């Protein structure tokens, strides 16, 4: 039931493994109409200082795309469907998003394409993706819940940028 906490630049291996084990996150945000959530496919990358970066695609014409342009905080969860409570595992997180442009966008697409290779194999899908926006979510706090290690077992990580 205790919480293990990490404050290094990179999250502990078990958190990185949990992020790598999944491809869909539920992203929560707030705008002038109130709170909302949406599901997006993501790929895990790393920032220059070794912190995690979750890359996802959405257009600025969507409600969440417009809200993300403001740069406000977001929350998210990542988990597999159909779990039983005794083995429940998933992630909770908070962070900020930014739309990628230029070399950052090119590097992000390489990471996204490696995680989701079907995008490049389908010409129509690839062209559609090239016309939309690629985003980077930089988690500032992550919590892995893993009931398989004991009910309520949590591992937390907080990002402390290099100053």
């Amino acid at each position: 039931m205790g919480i293990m906490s990490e404050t290094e630049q990179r999250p502990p291996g078990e958190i990185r493994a949990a992020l790598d084990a999944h491809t869909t996150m539920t992203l929560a945000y707030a705008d002038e109409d109130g709170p909302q959530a949406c599901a997006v496919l993501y790929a895990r990358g790393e920032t220059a200082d070794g912190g995690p970066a979750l890359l996802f695609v959405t257009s600025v014409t969507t409600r969440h795309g417009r809200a993300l342009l403001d740069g406000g905080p977001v929350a998210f969860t990542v988990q597999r469907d159909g779990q039983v409570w005794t083995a429940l595992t998933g992630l909770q997180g908070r962070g900020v998003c930014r739309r990628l442009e230029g070399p950052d966008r090119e590097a992000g697409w390489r990471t996204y394409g490696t995680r989701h290779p079907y995008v490049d194999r389908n010409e129509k899908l690839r062209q559609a993706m090239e016309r939309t926006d690629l985003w980077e979510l930089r988690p500032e706090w992550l919590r892995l819940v893993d009931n398989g290690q004991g009910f309520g077992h949590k591992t937390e990580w907080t990002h402390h940028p290099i100053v």
Side-chain angles (χ1 to χ4, degrees):
M1 288 218 191
I3 294 177
M4 291 179 47
S5 290
E6 294 284 337
T7 56
E8 296 178 12
Q9 292 306 109
R10 298 181 74 203
E14 63 187 311
I15 288 178
R16 292 191 314 271
L19 287 169
D20 288 342
H22 304 285
T23 59
T24 307
M25 72 173 152
T26 301
L27 182 65
Y29 60 93
D31 62 11
E32 64 277 353
D33 293 326
Q36 185 74 3
C38 62
V40 294
L41 295 175
Y42 74 90
R44 183 179 72 86
E46 287 191 356
T47 63
D49 68 359
L54 305 180
L55 304 167
F56 64 97
V57 176
T58 197
S59 172
V60 294
T61 62
T62 63
R63 179 178 171 189
H64 53 280
R66 289 187 307 272
L68 296 177
L69 282 174
D70 292 337
V74 298
F76 64 95
T77 62
V78 172
Q79 70 281 323
R80 187 178 65 251
D81 287 340
Q83 298 184 65
V84 296
W85 72 269
T86 54
L88 179 73
T89 185
L91 289 148
Q92 304 165 351
R94 290 188 303 265
V96 293
C97 295
R98 70 181 181 110
R99 186 171 53 160
L100 297 178
E101 296 180 16
D104 290 341
R105 178 181 162 87
E106 292 172 25
W109 275 118
R110 285 191 296 276
T111 300
Y112 194 88
T114 298
R115 183 66 168 124
H116 302 287
Y118 60 85
V119 172
D120 285 333
R121 288 193 293 251
N122 182 312
E123 185 66 21
K124 192 173 188 178
L125 178 59
R126 185 185 58 74
Q127 289 176 1
M129 295 288 249
E130 286 174 352
R131 290 188 302 270
T132 194
D133 298 296
L134 181 64
W135 298 80
E136 176 186 75
L137 188 164
R138 289 188 176 199
E140 297 170 345
W141 172 82
L142 292 166
R143 173 186 287 154
L144 172 66
V145 176
D146 187 352
N147 283 356
Q149 294 189 48
F151 182 73
H153 176 84
K154 296 174 182 70
T155 303
E156 292 187 359
W157 170 84
T158 302
H159 185 251
H160 294 288
I162 297 172
V163 191

